Structures are given as structure tokens and as C-alpha cells.
Amino acid sequence: MACLEVCKEGKFKEGREECTFDGTVDWHGRPAVKAKSGQWVAGIIILLNQGLATLAFFGVGVNLVLFLTRVLQQSNADAANNVSKWTGTVYIFSLVGAFLSDSYWGRYKTCAIFQVIFVIGLVILSLSSYLFLIRPKGCGNELTPCGSHSSMEVSLFYLSIYLVALGNGGYQPNIATFGADQFDEEDPREGHSKVTFFSYFYLALNLGSLFSNTILGYFEDEGAWALGFWASAGSALAALVLFLGGTARYRHFKPSGNPLSRLCQVIIAAMKKWKLEMPRDGEEELYNVHAKDCSMNGNRKILHTDGFKFLDRAAFISSRDIDDQKRGCRNPWRLCPITQVEEVKCILRLLPIWLCTIIYSVVFTQMASLFVEQGAAMKTTVANFKIPPASMSSFDILSVAFFIFLYRRVLDPLVSRVKKTGSKGLTELQRMGVGLVIAIVAMISAGLVECYRLRYARKDCTHCEGSSSLSIFWQVPQYALIGASEVFMYVGQLEFFNAQTPDGLKSFGSALCMTSISLGNYVSSLLVTMVMKISTEDHMPGWIPGNLNKGHLDRFYFLLATLTTIDLVVYMACARWYKSIQLEGKCELNDQEENFRV
């Protein structure tokens, strides 16, 4: 049976192969053929790429706090702050990658370029560690601190890790969205696979870090820092080669132009007409593009909504706009189509939800800093084997894998039967709320463990590592709870922001997830600084001193549990207020596919 093929000119003709209906194109800019592009062949390549890249990234990030304390001789509080700032910068760079992807380069080119930067940063880090930082040779383990370093050597180290931050940050939001692009959401079967992809993507991310948190974490904890960094560089290079190898199979969305200019046009056009009197029921007088041009740069139209009425002025057709149209021109800074106005409304509606995810990210970032320092102050030996404190995050990864399976195979079908809504289980917003609840329990668990750790600690230790007889395995519940909360919060976030952002801002939607983690790290750093400033008054050691046995880390965990509880209440109010985006289908397809499909 002959199927449809969409020509470059946008017309339909009878051909032998069926093309995608979501507007994707192949490497040559031609409409993507379903049988020869995308789907799980491309999706698996991207998942493997993500796993290898994550292995490389966490090979640096998971033990960075110990590298700073043991090699660069920083205090616990300074090291925790520097890790938070670095991790935050990683995700700030995600906005740069998303902007370049949505506006100019497209997702494929953006992913390739930032992966090259990522590899370069890891190579410089490996060389500087091997040649300059690990001195004397074999230092950097628990027993042998390293010597002092020159300002140039320290600067080279920071240059390398911030190149790693730039490369990974610019790559991450685009690879998630690029993977979702490989599935045609206009096809019911592929649309289901697209939703499933985000769960597998987050699973690949966690499994990729499992090797870093265990094997690499062990060698780095023993002082083999250069070996660990070289392994990360090799993994990143393998990820880049694998990604480039799948080039011919990928589907692509064309970049939609600068979203900042579109946003500014709406705001300025609305401000220019702020004195005009708008009709009460004036939707028919709002500017809408013609049916044949109904999508902006190939994107679907967004239906008009009643919220943020002031912005509707940008689409209101005034007498001056009518005169401009008669002359065959339209000033985009005075008159914007409804879809463009609704783009701005979508972003404004997303912002309160996004802000509520920042406190959760404060909780999440403790795994890379204070959880590691807490574990280092506990009994880390089993028989004659020493457990690296950073490797405890492997329980977080195992928890993520378990709860992804549990949710997709058990909870989602069960909730669907209870709600009697077909295949729809918990909504993305509901899942994010569940993630916040579990995060509260995780912080309470961490605080209780710290209380018991202090009971079995030696107060007179000169350095805190291994000073408590309480086993490090008491940390398992807090790591497992964080993993469970991630499945509900971060997977739900990925799906939510990808679904609720306009077609031309999909990478920006993924970047919002990353940026919430970024700001969470900065807020964590700010909280640590404020807590230390307040708690060290009157010559007190503070809550998070160099010797944790003289501090009260448990109080900091309980403070985070309290803040997350307040955040949950605000989030519930924002979730009830939120209204979902309403999209029309691809106009050329929806109006004609039934007539042309043979």
C-alpha cells in the first residue's frame, strides 16, 4: 500500500514510504521517514550516550568535595560551598545550551559542540591532576594530605572543572529533548514511547553514575585521582563517538529563532496598547495567522486562554494595525499572533511551579556534599574493606531503578484502575508533589541518623573521618528515600516541562529542570553560609564545623525538612492554580491527512 510523503515544499504526494507527521526532518533537511529514522534505534543510541556521559561527569562530581578537602586542603564548609557553586554553574549553563539549540543551532549540533568542550575539560583536569596537583605522589587519600599549590595550578584546576561544567551543562537539556524528538507524538504508538523514554533516560543517567559512585569512587578515595579522571575522559570521548555514529538515524526539529525577541515583542506590543479599551468578549478581534500559516516556523498553534488578559492587547487589532495590513506589512512590535502571546503566557504559568522545585533541589544536592561528609565521619570499614563515603550514593541509584520499575509496572496501572481514567495514572504535577513528601521524610531520616552518629562519636578527634562507631550503612534509608523522590520529582519534571512548553521552546523546558537544580545548589550554599554565620556567634563551633562531632548537622537536616514542608504547601496551591497548555495539531496534517493517506 502506498503511503504519504511530505515534499520539501510542504505538499503531499503519493510515495512508497511514510514520513513522520510532527514536522521532524532527517540529516539532509528532508521529511523524516518513519521506518528509517528515529524510534528506539536512535533512542537507545542516545540512552547509551547519556549513560557514558553521566559516568564521566560523576567521575568528577561525586568525589569533588573530598578532592577539595584532601588535595586542595579546603575546610568542610568551604568545600561544600564550592561543590554547590560548581554544580549550580553546571545547570546555569544549561540555559545557554537551550537558547542556542532552540534559536540557532538545533539540538544535534548543540549536543555535539558541548560534548567536545566536555571532553577538553576532562583532559585538562586529568593532565593537571597528574602533573601538578597530586603531589607528593600517592597523596590525596584519607591518611596522606597533599602539599600546597601555586595560584596558577589552582587556577588551571578551576578552569578545567568549569569547562566540564560548561560542556555538560550545555549538553544535558538538549540530549533529553533530542531523545524525545526521535518519537512522533502524532503516532499513538510512538507517542507512548516518547513518554516512556523520559523514565529510561533518567534510569540511564543513574546507571551511568553507578560505576562512578562505586569503582571510580573507590579508586579516588584511595588517592588514585588521576586514574579516575582519565577514566572519565575516556568515557566522555566514547560517548561523543557513539553520538556522532548515530547521525544518519536521527530526526531533527529545525530551530525556531530567538525566543527572547518573540517574548519581548509581546510585552512591548501590549505596553504600547495599554490605553486601548479592550472589548469584553474580544477573542474574534485578536490577530490570528491564516490557516496555511498557522504554525510558527512549523510549530503547532496554541489556543487562546483567559489568563493574563493584559498580554492579549499584543494581539488586539487596532485601527493602526488595519492600516498596516492594508499596506501589506505587519509590525511585530505592535501586533503579535495569538500563538506568540500564548507562548509568553505558558512561560508565566510555568514559573511558579518551577520556583517550587528549587527547595527540593536543595535537598537533592546534599548527596554530593553533606551526605558524603557525614558518611566520612562514620564507621566505613567492613572486615578489612573500606567503603568510600561517596559510593553510598549507589543506593540512591538502585532506588531510582527500583522505583522507576515499580511506578511504571505497578503504581501507574493501579492508580489508573482506581481513577478509572484509562492509561493515565498520576499526573506529572501529582507525582512532583509526592516527590516533595518523600524528600521531607528523607531529611528527617538523615537528621535522625546524625543524632545517633553523634552518640557514638569521639569528640576529641583531630579530623572527623571514621570517628564514629556507627556504621555508614545507617545512611542507606536517606539515600534510598532521595532516590524514590527523584523518580516522582525529576522524571515528572522532565515530562511536565517538555509537555507544557511550546514547540519552539522544548529545550528551554528541559533547561528549566536543570536550572532548578542549579538554583538549588546556590540556595544550599547560601543556607550553609547563613547557618555557619549565625551558629558560630559567641565562639561556638557552629552546626557544620570541620569536626562534625562538635557540630549539629542534624539541625541543618531538620531545617531543610521544615523548609521543604513549607514549599510543599505553596506548591499545592500553585498546582491547583495551574492550567495546562492547549495545542492544535499540525495544521497541514490535521486538515488533510485523512484525505491524502492511502
Side-chain angles (χ1 to χ4, degrees), residues 427-481:
T427 66
E428 291 89 350
L429 287 173
Q430 289 170 340
R431 286 155 57 191
M432 291 160 66
V434 172
L436 282 172
V437 172
I438 300 176
I440 295 169
V441 179
M443 283 296 96
I444 294 173
S445 173
L448 292 175
V449 168
E450 180 63 11
C451 290
Y452 279 95
R453 189 197 68 78
L454 289 172
R455 288 188 182 182
Y456 297 95
R458 300 196 311 272
K459 303 291 184 181
D460 58 344
C461 67
T462 56
H463 62 85
C464 230
E465 297 195 6
S467 61
S468 177
S469 60
L470 189 68
S471 172
I472 194 173
F473 285 108
W474 281 94
Q475 282 192 309
V476 171
Q478 65 201 61
Y479 278 104
L481 286 166

Side-chain angles (χ1 to χ4, degrees), residues 76-92:
N76 281 335
D78 287 342
N81 274 344
N82 283 327
V83 169
S84 294
K85 292 174 184 176
W86 176 77
T87 309
T89 305
V90 171
Y91 299 117
I92 283 292

Side-chain angles (χ1 to χ4, degrees), residues 329-347:
C329 62
R330 174 180 67 88
N331 184 352
W333 297 91
R334 282 195 57 85
L335 181 63
C336 305
I338 291 175
T339 291
Q340 188 175 340
V341 174
E342 291 298 324
E343 273 190 337
V344 180
K345 291 184 180 182
C346 287
I347 301 303

Side-chain angles (χ1 to χ4, degrees), residues 570-591:
V570 177
Y571 171 81
M572 291 173 64
C574 293
R576 290 179 63 87
W577 168 82
Y578 183 79
K579 292 183 179 180
S580 298
I581 186 174
Q582 299 294 323
L583 293 168
E584 286 186 3
K586 299 282 182 179
C587 61
E588 289 180 346
L589 181 66
N590 291 344
D591 294 341

Side-chain angles (χ1 to χ4, degrees), residues 133 135 148-155:
L133 300 178
R135 292 188 318 201
S148 60
H149 304 93
S150 68
S151 58
M152 182 177 294
E153 291 168 350
V154 174
S155 298

Side-chain angles (χ1 to χ4, degrees), residues 33 170 196 205 223 262 270 283 287 299 335 355 362 385 473 477 537:
V33 177
T196 305
L205 186 153
R262 298 201 302 272
E283 185 173 344
Y287 176 63
N299 300 329
L335 181 63
L355 289 171
V362 175
F385 180 76
F473 285 108
E537 292 181 353

